Amino acid sequence: MKTIIEPFRIKTTEPIKIISRKEREKALEKAHENVFLLDAEDCCIDLLTDSGTGAMSTRQWAAMMLGDESYAGSRSWKHFESTVQSITGIRHVLPTHQGRAAEAILTQTLIKKGDVIPNNSHFDTTRANIEYVGGIAENLLCEQGLDTADQSPFKGNMDIEKLEQCIAGYGRERIPFAMITVTNNSGGGQPVSMANIRAVKEVLDRHAIPLIIDACRFAENAYFIHEREKGYAGKSLLEISREMFSLADGATMSCKKDGLANIGGFLICNNDEWAEKFKNLLIIREGFPTYGGLAGRDLEAISVGLMEALEYDYQVYRQATVRYLSQKLVDMGVPIVRPAGGHAVFLDARKMLPDLPVLHYPGIGVINALYLEGGVRGVELGSVMFGRFDDQGREHPAPLELVRLAFPRRVYTQSHFDYLGEIIEEVWKNRGKIPGYRITYQSPFLRHFTCHFEKLAS
Ligand SMILES: Cc1ncc(COP(=O)(O)O)c(C=O)c1O
């Protein structure tokens, strides 16, 4: 087997620099030990997110020049609408400026206080949008998804029995819709099988509950179905995507992921009544329904990007990159989520630092150590992001303490990943010196973005 090469060559470059360790220490201190508050220029390999950080293709840049900036009914809107419809088969398309805007319109239109929204795992913005309107966000991930060492092929699947219990427990009338997130970002970027989406739909149909797909990484999920699920090897990623969406009543999408664009999103549905309500809120919040907070040129870039994300060679290269780094880490003995997810490598910080109490945030310890060691920026997906407070104000940790190193699309080359491997190796060797942290400032929603940390004495 020959090396899987990047299926592109580089036409434009963007400089990165490596600042000294002393400068990194200063920068992190100034950022209150929270890497979200660092200047991007001070991060040499920025793996904070795969969202909106990708490189666009020549075809996308060319399409941007064709952007029609008419306020209403632009050519670019037609292109966007027909592309989304051809991939999803879903009738009503509402463009939004990003995924959480689609979530806000969905939740503020359909959820009443006390309603319950099941999902395999809610992403943080989805949970926040649900809780903001008084809803309850239930995670019903399969057991394998909670075991970072389990090698099952579809660890993003929803647990069907938990779904049945959730519906029986809360009652159908409290569940205006259910969601399934493909791939499952919060649980390690793990895919969801077609069989599981079908099984979820069957249960929901019995109770007349609509299904909304959180479709941010639909193309990566389609690739995993192609590779791992019986009966799909002969189908194109477009055909697989169509089948996935045929099981849904609607979807939210952040085009900053599998739209291969730097901004954008959409909300889609088949229900005419919902579409009417969504449109009314869209006009107040985002803009006229044929641009929805996006420029005509963005609509063009997304339309091309969505189709490029479904190119098989692109997905082969992308997943090879993820596997390349994860294999290096497995060889070093670093505990990671296995098999590797679609858009990131997830380090298991709890296993890396077993002696650190979970509420001393081992994920933050590892994140900050990576930055100090080599200017690498990742993100904690653990108790800071997903921890919860009970009625007495007691903090409960998240089930997993993960550190996500998300891969921007078409941005870094193999030598960047080799460097990354070296930095992680150093951190792993010196893990005994990593301190715990406590929070000194936090906001009531999505605290991880802005909170301040203080190092605890070891
Ligand atoms: C699964 C999932 N849903 C929703 C979102 C929100 O999308 P956006 O960042 O475009 O608002 C994200 C973003 O990372 C995500 O990963």
Side-chain angles (χ1 to χ4, degrees):
M1 174 107 163
K2 298 204 175 65
T3 302
I4 296 169
I5 60 168
E6 286 89 354
F8 52 81
R9 52 189 179 184
I10 296 165
K11 200 167 207 163
T12 308
T13 64
E14 187 180 4
I16 49 178
K17 61 173 183 178
I18 308 182
I19 58 172
S20 69
R21 186 176 181 110
K22 256 215 152 51
E23 287 172 304
R24 290 197 291 272
E25 279 167 3
K26 254 202 193 139
L28 194 57
E29 202 180 311
K30 194 169 146 228
H32 302 281
E33 310 287 331
N34 182 350
V35 292
F36 274 105
L37 304 178
L38 287 168
D39 288 344
E41 264 194 338
D42 292 338
C43 307
C44 85
I45 306 279
D46 199 348
L47 307 180
L48 187 67
T49 175
D50 63 323
S51 178
T53 52
M56 292 209 298
S57 67
T58 48
R59 280 178 291 176
Q60 283 178 292
W61 283 110
M64 284 187 87
M65 288 305 292
L66 299 174
D68 174 355
E69 305 302 342
S70 306
Y71 190 93
S74 73
R75 212 175 39 244
S76 300
W77 154 247
K78 292 275 165 205
H79 185 194
F80 180 88
E81 184 188 36
S82 63
T83 305
V84 174
Q85 284 170 338
S86 78
I87 293 171
T88 65
I90 293 181
R91 217 171 37 249
H92 300 289
V93 179
L94 292 94
T96 60
H97 80 276
Q98 63 182 92
R100 69 198 70 185
E103 290 168 355
I105 291 168
L106 174 76
T107 55
Q108 289 174 29
T109 308
L110 299 183
I111 298 178
K112 296 187 307 300
K113 196 167 184 305
D115 280 353
V116 178
I117 310 299
N119 200 334
N120 44 352
S121 301
H122 290 277
F123 187 64
D124 61 350
T125 58
T126 324
R127 170 180 293 281
N129 268 303
I130 292 166
E131 291 179 350
Y132 186 70
V133 291
I136 300 164
E138 283 285 2
N139 286 344
L140 309 177
L141 187 63
C142 64
E143 290 305 312
Q144 296 93 318
L146 295 169
D147 177 355
T148 57
D150 188 290
Q151 297 271 358
S152 305
F154 290 103
K155 290 170 67 176
N157 283 354
M158 189 183 281
D159 186 318
I160 300 298
E161 217 174 290
K162 285 188 198 164
L163 177 62
E164 299 267 23
Q165 283 163 6
C166 175
I167 300 169
Y170 287 109
R172 183 264 162 262
E173 60 292 343
R174 284 181 67 186
I175 306 179
F177 60 87
M179 297 185 77
I180 193 150
T181 305
V182 301
T183 57
N184 183 31
N185 186 3
S186 322
Q190 297 293 323
V192 181
S193 70
M194 191 73 83
N196 187 251
I197 304 175
R198 199 175 292 285
V200 166
K201 179 66 176 158
E202 271 165 22
V203 172
L204 296 177
D205 273 352
R206 260 193 277 124
H207 300 275
I209 298 170
L211 174 64
I212 303 291
I213 293 185
D214 178 337
C216 295
R217 299 176 182 83
F218 75 97
E220 288 174 10
N221 203 72
Y223 173 78
F224 282 117
I225 289 175
H226 182 278
E227 299 301 295
R228 296 181 184 173
E229 193 163 351
K230 204 161 163 253
Y232 289 93
K235 296 200 174 172
S236 70
L237 302 190
L238 178 60
E239 285 170 318
I240 296 171
S241 299
R242 281 187 185 141
E243 189 175 330
M244 279 194 298
F245 285 109
S246 75
L247 298 167
D249 300 278
T252 54
M253 172 73 188
S254 168
C255 299
K256 300 170 76 172
K257 285 83 170 174
D258 279 350
L260 299 184
N262 302 116
I263 196 71
F266 57 75
L267 173 61
I268 54 176
C269 68
N270 278 322
N271 182 318
D272 298 341
E273 230 175 88
W274 281 10
E276 196 55 34
K277 287 186 188 161
F278 292 162
K279 247 180 221 170
N280 291 336
L281 200 52
L282 183 82
I283 291 173
I284 298 171
R285 292 282 161 76
E286 294 283 290
F288 193 72
T290 67
Y291 71 86
L294 293 167
R297 55 181 170 271
D298 296 326
L299 294 169
E300 291 288 354
I302 295 165
S303 306
V304 176
L306 287 167
M307 297 310 292
E308 286 183 350
L310 289 167
E311 285 173 9
Y312 186 69
D313 286 351
Y314 158 73
Q315 288 294 345
V316 168
Y317 135 76
R318 178 155 175 80
Q319 299 315 320
T321 315
V322 176
R323 273 200 314 276
Y324 180 72
L325 180 68
S326 45
Q327 192 53 52
K328 267 182 190 293
L329 302 185
V330 169
D331 294 345
M332 287 174 208
V334 179
I336 63 167
V337 176
R338 296 179 71 190
H343 64 292
V345 167
F346 291 73
L347 311 182
D348 188 333
R350 190 178 286 185
K351 286 192 184 154
M352 283 177 83
L353 309 178
D355 298 332
L356 212 60
V358 275
L359 290 177
H360 290 180
Y361 311 127
I364 298 298
V366 174
I367 287 287
N368 287 355
L370 287 170
Y371 179 71
L372 292 173
E373 187 59 44
V376 172
R377 176 155 71 168
V379 67
E380 187 248 26
L381 267 75
S383 291
V384 176
M385 193 181 275
F386 298 116
R388 307 182 73 168
F389 288 91
D390 64 21
D391 297 342
Q392 273 86 52
R394 276 185 307 243
E395 187 174 357
H396 295 273
L400 297 172
E401 302 296 329
L402 301 180
V403 162
R404 187 187 73 179
L405 304 172
F407 294 5
R409 293 169 178 79
R410 306 187 288 206
V411 169
Y412 293 115
T413 63
Q414 193 165 335
S415 72
H416 292 114
F417 287 106
D418 287 334
Y419 170 80
L420 184 58
E422 289 161 15
I423 299 304
I424 299 172
E425 189 169 21
E426 272 313 297
V427 168
W428 175 236
K429 277 194 210 146
N430 295 306
R431 61 191 180 279
K433 295 185 199 144
I434 295 177
Y437 285 83
R438 74 180 190 95
I439 294 177
T440 56
Y441 158 79
Q442 59 188 301
S443 60
F445 289 103
L446 302 174
R447 64 175 177 172
H448 53 283
F449 286 131
T450 53
C451 66
H452 297 174
F453 297 105
E454 190 177 77
K455 233 181 275 173
L456 293 166
S458 39

